[in-house]
Amino acid sequence: MGTRSDAGEQRRLENLTAPEIAERIGPGSVLVWPIGAVEQHGPHLPLSVDHVVAHESARAAVAACGEEADAWLLPTLSISKSDEHAWSPGSLWLSAETLLAVIGDVGRSAATTGAERLVFLNAHGGNTALLGVACRELRRRFGLRTFLVHPFVPPDHGGRSASAADELGMGVHGGHDETSVMLHLRPELVRMDRAVRRVPEGLAEQRHVRFGGLTAFGWLSNDFGPDGHIGDPTGATPEAGKNFFEAAVELVAEQIAEISTFDFGR
């Protein structure tokens, strides 16, 4: 009997032959495109955090719901819009214009498969606004039904679960939950001996101008200190990470299943 991991591998679009695309991909198919990032995450986490989370959560979610939803996994886009971390050597990033062009080209290519639904599974908050724009662009240009989902919605975009209580809603980058997930997925890459608390507690006193508040503001990660992370990773555990990750995969799989039958309320 195959495992869920095997199921995820069997539903990778890139593993099909060209004739199999015509045989197996059709209007009811859902293409899931993981989008991560390669950027600094403080002194305790590797640059690969968002890539790992995007890749692993998409793979697990497609394994869980792929047969039912006719979902297919596209190759992970690892480098994206990470210019808020451009100050840190090693962070790799595309401009907004370049990323939007890349998404347009891939969307054009995806439309030729016959699939009508394309899901961005985004694990980097810096992409969220641009991907919202891309959803409408691809809908207009290629007729695709486009969707944006996150394993964890960032607190600065209204997420409620991606920041531990003692982070005061400010655990937006390299904090407790993200560090816990990496301790679960890639423990050998985490340096807990270097983990320190960096919570901008003054923002928690703001009514509107804060992460998740009514007033958005532009920021760079080093606006909050030289370490580049925003949150408190010191209490992170692999057990918490396993729980966060499994809950995220379940939620993403539920969304993909609903996406597979979405028809604008008709």
Side-chain angles (χ1 to χ4, degrees):
M1 180 179 294
T3 65
R4 277 194 171 186
S5 176
D6 295 334
E9 289 301 305
Q10 292 166 7
R11 302 198 69 86
R12 294 174 70 96
L13 191 81
E14 67 205 78
N15 289 342
L16 298 178
T17 65
E20 286 173 332
I21 294 292
E23 295 167 3
R24 303 188 65 179
I25 307 299
S29 302
V30 180
L31 304 183
V32 179
W33 190 12
I35 300 181
V38 176
E39 61 188 32
Q40 72 79 29
H41 271 76
H44 59 295
L45 290 176
L47 304 179
S48 62
V49 171
D50 293 346
H51 160 77
V52 169
V53 172
H55 181 79
E56 295 295 347
S57 59
R59 183 169 174 264
V62 168
C65 73
E67 292 293 334
E68 173 192 359
D70 193 21
W72 294 87
L73 189 64
L74 299 186
T76 302
L77 178 65
S78 297
I79 300 173
S80 57
K81 186 180 178 295
S82 296
D83 51 331
E84 68 269 39
H85 308 289
W87 59 272
S88 180
S91 295
L92 306 178
W93 59 279
L94 305 178
S95 68
E97 296 81 3
T98 298
L99 181 56
L100 197 59
V102 168
I103 291 169
D105 287 348
V106 174
R108 178 193 61 212
S109 302
T112 68
T113 66
E116 293 184 352
R117 293 171 173 83
L118 175 63
V119 179
F120 301 121
L121 197 160
N122 175 46
H124 171 50
N127 293 328
T128 299
L130 189 66
L131 290 174
V133 172
C135 278
R136 183 163 291 169
E137 283 284 303
L138 298 191
R139 176 67 187 149
R140 176 180 58 81
R141 292 172 62 191
F142 308 117
L144 290 166
R145 300 181 185 194
T146 48
F147 308 86
L148 173 58
V149 303
H150 297 82
F152 312 99
V153 179
D156 51 327
H157 290 279
R160 300 294 181 187
S161 62
S163 181
D166 63 0
E167 291 177 312
L168 309 175
M170 304 296 130
V172 303
H173 186 67
H176 175 273
D177 293 2
E178 205 164 37
T179 303
S180 293
V181 169
M182 284 300 287
L183 283 170
H184 168 58
L185 294 175
R186 299 288 192 277
E188 71 280 5
L189 300 180
V190 180
R191 294 292 304 271
M192 288 302 292
D193 58 310
R194 298 180 178 178
V196 294
R197 178 181 174 86
R198 290 288 185 267
V199 175
E201 297 186 4
L203 284 185
E205 300 172 2
Q206 300 282 102
R207 182 179 180 186
H208 299 302
V209 187
R210 52 171 292 159
F211 290 127
L214 293 176
T215 305
F217 60 97
W219 56 272
L220 305 177
S221 55
N222 60 342
D223 285 334
F224 303 96
D227 290 324
H229 66 290
I230 309 166
D232 186 0
T234 58
T237 66
E239 294 77 18
K242 181 175 185 292
N243 291 335
F244 295 144
F245 181 75
E246 290 180 350
V249 168
E250 182 178 359
L251 184 58
V252 168
E254 288 179 4
Q255 292 175 80
I256 293 172
E258 190 167 308
I259 285 166
S260 71
T261 61
F262 175 80
D263 194 25
F264 296 101
R266 296 200 295 254

